[in-house]
Every structure is written in C-alpha cells, then in structure tokens.
Amino acid sequence: MNRYRGFFVLALIIIIAPIIFPDSYFVTVVGVTIALNALVAVGLNLLMGYTGQISLGHAAFFGIGAYSSGLLTTMFSWNPWFALLMGLLVTWLVAEIIARPILRLKGHYLAMATLGFGIIINILMVQPTHITGGPDGLSDIPVLNILGWDIDSDIRWYIVANGALLLGVWLALNLINSRIGLALRAVHGSEVGAQMMGVDIERIKIRIFVVSALFAAFAGSLFAHQQAFISPDSFSFHFSIELVVMVVLGGMASNYGPIFGAAVLTMLPETLVVFEDYEVLILGAIMMGIMIFLPQGLWVGLSQKIKPLFLNKATSSVESVGG
Amino acid sequence: MKRSLKALVAGFALLCSVNVAQAADIKIGTFLAVTGPASFLGDPELKTLQMYVDKINSEGGVIGKKLKLIHYDTGANPKKAVNFAKRLIKKDRVDVIVGASTSGTTMAVIPIVQKAKIPFISMAGSVKIIEPVKKWVFKTPHTDKMAARKIFLDMNKRGIKKVGLISGSGGFGKSGRSQVLALASEYGLTITADESYGKKDTDMTAQLSKIRATNPDAILNFGFGSGPAIVTKNVRQLGIKLPIYQSHGVASKKYIKLAGSAAEGVRLPAASLLVASKLPGSHPQKKVIQAYKSSFEAKHGPVSTFGGHAYDALYLAVEAIKRAGTVNKAKVRDEIEKTKNFLGAGGIFNMSKRDHLGLGLDAFKMLEIKNGDWSIVE
C-alpha cells in the first residue's frame, strides 16, 4: 500500500480541513477553486511532468468542458450528467484530432501550436454571440444533482470538487504505476530510447494528451455548474499559463506537486490582498524566490528536504520524486 | 509532512482571526478591475469610492455609524469576481455591495448575490444586468440600448434613413451592435452594412470602403479603446463626407486627441458630466456634477464618466441606508428600489419595481465635437 500513502494523507487533509474550520471562506470557497484547478493540473502533469510534452492550451479543454455543460443544459435542457459526458466526448474527439499533427512537434514549436489552439478555441467562444452569449457569457446554468441531492451550497461543492480531485489523483496514480506509466517516463527520458524498447511513442503521446484533456474537461464541466455563469475570460490564454505555473511551481513528475502548486497559486493572491497595491509585487517576488531556491518545484524540493527528517534514511531520493 | 501541516494550520488560524472588524461600522464591499484590461474603469471608480467614503466619514458618517470600504481587485476576471463576492458576503460580512467594473464580472456574481440576498449596485454597462429585473441587483451606468435610442432620435431629426454600422469585437461593441440591429426598424432606419474590427486592428479602411459601397447616409461606430479613433481617421482619409456617430464608449478627451481634426463634427451621446461647465445654470444636475468634478480633479486629475457611476452607486446605497435608518438588507433593498429624483452624476434616477436603473433618455446629452472640444446639440 506504500504507493497510496500520499493519497491517504491528501484525503485526510481534505476531510479534516472543513471539520476544523467549518465556516471558513478559505476552506469552503477557495477550497473548491483549488480542487478544480488541481484536477486540471494533475492531468496536465501527466503530459508535462511524466511525458515531457508541454501544453499552453489546456484552458481550452477546460473551456470545452464548461461550454458543453453550459450550452447543453441551458439551451437544450439536457440532464447535467449527460451534458458532462457529452463534454468529455467532444473533448476526446477534439484532442484526438489535434493531437496527431501537434504532438509531432517538439519544444518551442509544440508550445506555439498548443498556444494557437487555445486562442482559436477562445475566439470560438467569443464570436458566435447568439450561441455562446459572446463576451457577456452564459448565465443561469442549472444546479448539479447527485441522486436527488442538489449541489447548491459551498460545503457541498467542497465535497464534490474534492471527491473529483481524489478520483483524478487515484486514476493518475494507477496510470503512472502501470506499464503505460513506465512507457511515458521512457518517452520523457529519451524518445529514441523508448522506441528502441518497443514503445509506440506516437500512439502513447496521443493517448496521454487525450487523457490529460479529459481531466481538464471534467473539471471544466464541474466549474460551469459551480459558477452558474461562464464567460470566455475564464478560459483565456492567461489561465493556460497559470496551469503550467501550477505544475512547474508545485514540482513536475510528482502527483502531489501540481496539487500543492494549485493550492499555493490559488491561495496566495487571496491572502496577499491585505497588501493592496503591493500585492502583485510580492506575488512576483515569492515566485522568483521559489524558482531560484527550489528549482524542482515547491513540493519536490520541500519533500526532499523534509522527508529524511521523518522517515528512516532508507527511503531513497528516487522514490520520493516518484511519490 | 507533519511540520508543514502544522504550519498550514497555524497559517489558517492566523488568517481567520485577523479580520474581526468593529461591529459598529457600516461595511460597503466592492470588487473592481483596478488592474488589467479594464483598469481605465476600475481605477477612477475606486478612487471615487475612497474619496467619498472618507468625505462622508469626516462629516459624521451615516445614521451615526462610520462607513468602511472593503475592496478587492478582480483584474476583470469573472472567476476572481465570484470568489471575491463570496468573500465579501461570507467573510467580511458586508452590508451592501457596490461595484464590478465590467459586465462579465457583474453577470458572474448575480447568482451569488441573489442567493445571499444582499443589495448589489453594479457599475457595468450591459442592459442584460437589469433586464429581466433581478430582485437584489441594480446598476448606475446608462445602457447601450439607451445610447442606440439617443443616436437614432438624432438621426431621425437630421433625416438620416440609411446607416452603415461598424462595431468593435469586444464585449461593449458586440452588445451595442445587437442593440442597434434590434432597434433600427423601430426608428424607420435601415442598416446597410454591418462590419466589425478586432481589438488590436490598426486599419479599418477595408471595412469602411465596403460600407461606402452600400451608400449609407451616415456611419455609426460602436466600440471603445483606440478603435473608434482609427475608424474616424480612416473615414476622413478615404474622403467620405458622411456624418459620423460614435457611442458613449468614446466619451473621453483621449478620443478627440487620438482622432485629431478628423473628429470635428462627430456626434455621440454622453453623460452631462462631460460638459459640466457648459450646462445651463438651471440644469438640475449642474451642482452635483460640478462638485464631483472639482473634488475629483483636485485630487486625481481629469474626470471620466466611469468614476461618476461609482459616485452614483455609493450615494444610492448611502441614501437608501439613511432612509431605512438601518442596515437591514431587505429594508435597504426596498429603499434603493424606491429611489426617486436622486440627482446623480449620470442623471436623475427614478427607480421602480420594473426598472432597476431608473435613468431616462434625458440622462444622455447629444454632443458634437467642435474645435477639439465637446459642445451640446439640442
């Protein structure tokens, strides 16, 4: 059960937080935003951290999920769960189609292509005003319902969003520890090497791109119902960058790094508001500090420094990176 | 792990304990786009709110209590606006919310304020905010619908029948375009062309040539930022002599500066604030507007109509609290709805159950640009 140790600790933190602070804004409101961001970041990390492919367009998949749910439930009165499934299906198709040509590119070119894709999807949200509502957005998205239980309060959303996050982390853990996971890391290490060992690198890159897009779309659908209103501003290029920063800041190639990154990056602006005009300056300074002193990311860097103090020395650093 | 957990817990506890404000204050919450793409709205709005909250407090406050302004910066991001609205309601426990610079951020928080049953006065333009009427939501700026009507009335007066439309692709331009298309037939006008341009376009001669080919009597442009100034210049560069109409989106001196001599003769609807000194002494708003203008300019430089919307929102709330004699949310809301003959910077407000804006078409003045300055057309 060793590989799930971190998973249980995460679950424990998620369960205990609202019990200690039952009516705290930072737990029940910001906690939901963190969980949804973290879910996307965990998916993106499969692509970035484990497979070594960058995507600057993940806000688009988040947006496709959100707009599928928003449009189908408001215009066609679909059941939100069918709309969510439809969102996943659409995302799957889109990701599958663009992955083939895009993932042939490497490095900066891949970054550029995904960036372009993200911007195109954003324009598609802004332009057809009569369908998407254009820049004014889409309102009156109905409440999500689980077995007759309306998800309409902050604490209920906390449970649903974090439940989804735990599900996502569990899936990611299993994926990484499977044969596919090993193949992914081989691709990250050396594409030629992986190919020599019999890994179909093109296929596996496409698959992981699709999986990571599905993570984003799922979070996007939940986001649409949680906010009850969506507009293109929430899925802009800026959010794609934020997601990448969450992954890098938390620490790539660790399942908990992106969650930590999402938590820090969502929480920091909320807590720094007390500094008013200096907020952005301080945020920038903190980011720079982290990248200078903990270049592997906050989670990986810190856990490497702290773990030996608590665990027996036998735990090798290689394992702590993998955990 | 344990250590970081402890630190986290300690951090939480600290944050939760810091914000225990004095119970006696009347708390006014606001979330504005002070930074980011809409900072030209949020910045004067925040400055106005701060200035007048200080002023009211120095004069003894409202119903014997001091006002306390709690503000957050959304950067025009609706996601942030949602969380800040919840923060104002749940954590800061404000009595009334004024604010939201953009229509996007306003629309995003409407479900929250409706559910929390807290009075909310928005400073954003879109007519969607108050149509259909939402119980707890009010707004102060004129709508694009009113601007379109005002322009069409003036066109009728001048005998213009055919209009070539060009609009920006941003939220403001798009919303204005749909109002223009919906209302034109009501005024017996035909829209001969419907062109658009992007936010960062630097040349609109192609669209304007197309418009010229459709033979309109006038050109109407809905948009803000640098776009309208470029349109104005391009029209004159192409040698088109048709009258140009702009929307209230260009109601700042910057537009005249950017468009230069091409702006001569351009007409647009705008709030009286822009022509404060040219208003006749009998104008009911004159005193309010001049007071606002001089105190803002003494402290922060040239006045814009956007700060005026914040002034109106703040005073609508304050007057309602005064009349209610309490900060009870339901009573304050009822009093805001009962606002009658309130002299604001944007116009004279008369709210009702069916109208949560309360401005008539007379709140707009039709202006013409003459010798690089505004002049009133009536």
Side-chain angles (χ1 to χ4, degrees):
Chain A
M1 285 318 274
N2 202 19
R3 79 166 67 137
Y4 292 115
R5 199 178 50 215
F7 179 77
F8 290 125
V9 173
L10 176 69
L12 204 64
I13 295 174
I14 288 173
I15 293 166
I16 285 179
I19 296 174
I20 304 178
F21 308 106
D23 218 15
S24 164
Y25 164 80
F26 286 103
V27 175
T28 53
V29 177
V30 183
V32 178
T33 314
I34 292 175
L36 293 178
N37 285 344
L39 186 55
V40 188
V42 167
L44 183 58
N45 185 42
L46 290 174
L47 185 72
M48 280 179 60
Y50 287 102
T51 325
Q53 312 295 315
I54 195 168
S55 167
L56 292 180
H58 256 53
F61 293 118
F62 187 69
I64 292 175
Y67 267 89
S68 299
S69 278
L71 284 172
L72 291 174
T73 52
T74 54
M75 286 181 81
F76 304 103
S77 317
W78 278 35
N79 179 304
W81 292 105
F82 286 124
L84 188 146
L85 282 179
M86 197 63 196
L88 292 177
L89 204 68
V90 172
T91 308
W92 187 344
L93 279 175
V94 173
E96 191 83 42
I97 292 167
I98 68 150
R100 215 161 283 268
I102 269 188
L103 288 173
R104 288 175 182 225
L105 305 168
K106 288 192 178 63
H108 300 323
Y109 302 102
L110 179 62
M112 284 298 287
T114 50
L115 189 154
F117 165 72
I119 291 174
I120 290 168
I121 295 293
N122 201 256
I123 291 172
L124 285 179
M125 293 169 186
V126 177
Q127 287 302 337
T129 319
H130 52 291
I131 305 172
T132 62
D136 278 350
L138 204 65
S139 26
D140 299 323
I141 299 169
V143 174
L144 204 60
N145 182 299
I146 299 178
L147 304 171
W149 196 59
D150 275 342
I151 317 298
D152 56 358
S153 69
D154 288 331
I155 186 72
R156 287 177 179 187
W157 265 111
Y158 179 85
I159 296 167
V160 171
N162 281 290
L165 173 63
L166 286 174
L167 180 73
V169 171
W170 186 74
L171 284 174
L173 272 176
N174 279 307
L175 187 74
I176 287 155
N177 290 308
S178 68
R179 216 179 129 261
I180 296 173
L182 291 174
L184 292 176
R185 275 180 268 188
V187 172
H188 191 187
S190 157
E191 290 197 11
V192 179
Q195 217 162 9
M196 295 293 287
M197 301 307 289
V199 177
D200 182 350
I201 57 163
E202 196 191 334
R203 198 152 150 253
I204 202 153
K205 279 203 277 187
I206 292 172
R207 265 176 147 186
I208 204 66
F209 186 77
V210 171
V211 169
S212 107
L214 290 177
F215 269 73
F218 185 55
S221 284
L222 293 179
F223 173 79
H225 288 289
Q226 188 242 345
Q227 302 261 308
F229 168 88
I230 46 174
S231 72
D233 289 342
S234 300
F235 315 105
S236 62
F237 164 63
H238 188 81
F239 185 55
S240 287
I241 298 288
E242 232 172 275
L243 289 169
V244 171
V245 175
M246 283 172 197
V247 174
V248 177
L249 187 80
M252 291 200 274
S254 150
N255 243 317
Y256 307 104
I259 301 174
F260 201 60
V264 170
L265 208 66
T266 315
M267 199 69 113
L268 265 183
E270 292 277 350
T271 48
L272 293 180
V273 288
V274 291
F275 296 106
E276 294 194 1
D277 294 350
Y278 302 101
E279 182 190 333
V280 185
L281 269 179
I282 294 170
L283 184 67
I286 291 174
M287 297 283 181
M288 265 169 60
I290 291 172
M291 285 293 105
I292 292 169
F293 295 109
L294 295 167
Q296 301 130 296
L298 213 49
W299 178 260
V300 179
L302 282 181
S303 60
Q304 267 176 2
K305 290 208 167 86
I306 291 174
K307 248 187 191 167
L309 303 176
F310 289 99
L311 304 172
N312 55 31
K313 305 276 182 197
T315 318
S316 70
S317 65
V318 177
E319 211 184 290
S320 73
V321 172
Chain B
M1 197 58 235
K2 270 184 210 154
R3 189 178 287 178
S4 60
L5 196 67
K6 261 186 206 159
L8 206 70
V9 171
F12 266 129
L14 198 69
L15 284 166
C16 298
S17 61
V18 169
N19 241 321
V20 187
Q22 303 96 310
D25 288 343
I26 296 175
K27 281 186 272 185
I28 296 185
T30 185
F31 51 101
L32 300 165
V34 181
T35 60
S39 59
F40 68 99
L41 301 170
D43 181 59
E45 284 164 357
L46 180 62
K47 281 175 179 157
T48 303
L49 289 180
Q50 283 169 331
M51 195 167 85
Y52 279 93
V53 163
D54 288 347
K55 182 167 176 268
I56 293 169
N57 281 341
S58 68
E59 287 164 1
V62 182
I63 56 169
K65 294 175 183 179
K66 294 256 182 240
L67 295 183
K68 184 166 182 250
L69 184 71
I70 300 169
H71 64 91
Y72 299 114
D73 176 15
T74 62
N77 181 339
K79 239 187 283 182
K80 278 193 182 167
V82 165
N83 276 9
F84 282 137
K86 286 186 178 169
R87 184 170 186 161
L88 288 170
I89 294 165
K90 287 191 76 164
K91 186 158 172 289
D92 305 320
R93 300 189 187 282
V94 296
D95 298 301
V96 53
I97 301 179
V98 297
S101 311
T102 63
S103 299
T105 48
T106 301
M107 295 303 288
V109 304
I110 284 177
I112 298 156
V113 297
Q114 285 282 90
K115 217 174 126 201
K117 301 191 185 345
I118 184 164
F120 170 47
I121 307 176
S122 167
M123 306 164 196
S126 175
V127 70
K128 277 193 197 165
I129 297 164
I130 46 153
E131 269 179 30
V133 173
K134 289 140 198 108
K135 191 173 177 200
W136 298 88
V137 183
F138 302 86
K139 68 172 234 135
T140 54
H142 323 84
T143 64
D144 30 29
K145 199 175 186 173
M146 292 164 62
R149 282 187 191 280
K150 189 83 185 176
I151 292 169
F152 288 163
L153 280 175
D154 193 65
M155 285 179 172
N156 282 350
K157 257 187 234 162
R158 284 168 103 182
I160 290 165
K161 293 264 179 278
K162 291 182 293 175
V163 182
L165 173 66
I166 179 166
S167 51
S169 62
F172 182 82
K174 270 197 172 314
S175 173
R177 172 184 168 269
S178 57
Q179 297 301 335
V180 167
L181 294 179
L183 293 172
S185 59
E186 208 178 298
Y187 292 83
L189 297 164
T190 31
I191 306 293
T192 61
D194 175 17
E195 295 291 325
S196 71
Y197 55 84
K199 229 179 276 177
K200 290 179 186 118
D201 289 4
T202 51
D203 185 87
M204 284 74 156
T205 45
Q207 292 98 316
L208 291 167
S209 303
K210 262 198 208 163
I211 290 178
R212 175 164 61 181
T214 64
N215 251 328
D217 302 329
I219 292 173
L220 169 57
N221 180 203
F222 240 99
F224 66 33
S226 57
I230 299 171
V231 168
T232 312
K233 272 189 175 169
N234 285 167
V235 170
R236 298 306 178 220
Q237 277 160 5
L238 286 172
I240 302 173
K241 300 238 157 51
L242 299 171
I244 304 175
Y245 282 87
Q246 290 286 353
S247 70
H248 54 312
V250 303
S252 80
K253 272 275 159 74
K254 224 182 201 167
Y255 166 73
I256 301 182
K257 217 187 206 171
L258 283 173
S261 62
E264 288 298 305
V266 170
R267 287 193 175 186
L268 66 145
S272 319
L273 184 58
L274 225 48
V275 283
S277 56
K278 296 193 181 86
L279 288 175
S282 61
H283 195 279
Q285 270 175 276
K286 179 149 184 154
K287 234 172 98 186
V288 182
I289 291 173
Q290 279 208 312
Y292 171 68
K293 191 175 183 227
S294 56
S295 48
F296 189 92
E297 287 185 344
K299 226 175 151 184
H300 301 297
V303 77
S304 77
T305 52
F306 312 121
H309 301 320
Y311 171 90
D312 293 346
L314 178 67
Y315 273 91
L316 278 174
V318 165
E319 293 293 322
I321 292 171
K322 262 190 207 160
R323 286 199 302 271
T326 158
V327 289
N328 178 302
K329 295 188 179 72
K331 284 187 184 143
V332 172
R333 188 213 80 93
D334 291 346
E335 286 302 331
I336 297 175
E337 198 170 65
K338 281 184 208 151
T339 299
K340 285 277 168 305
N341 290 320
F342 167 73
L343 296 177
I348 303 163
F349 290 82
N350 284 299
M351 300 229 183
S352 70
K353 273 206 168 70
R354 298 219 313 266
D355 184 3
H356 277 191
L357 164 62
L359 287 177
L361 275 189
D362 55 342
F364 267 137
K365 290 263 171 291
M366 186 49 80
L367 305 184
E368 187 173 306
I369 296 167
K370 266 186 198 153
N371 304 322
D373 200 4
W374 315 109
S375 66
I376 304 171
V377 189
E378 284 307 340

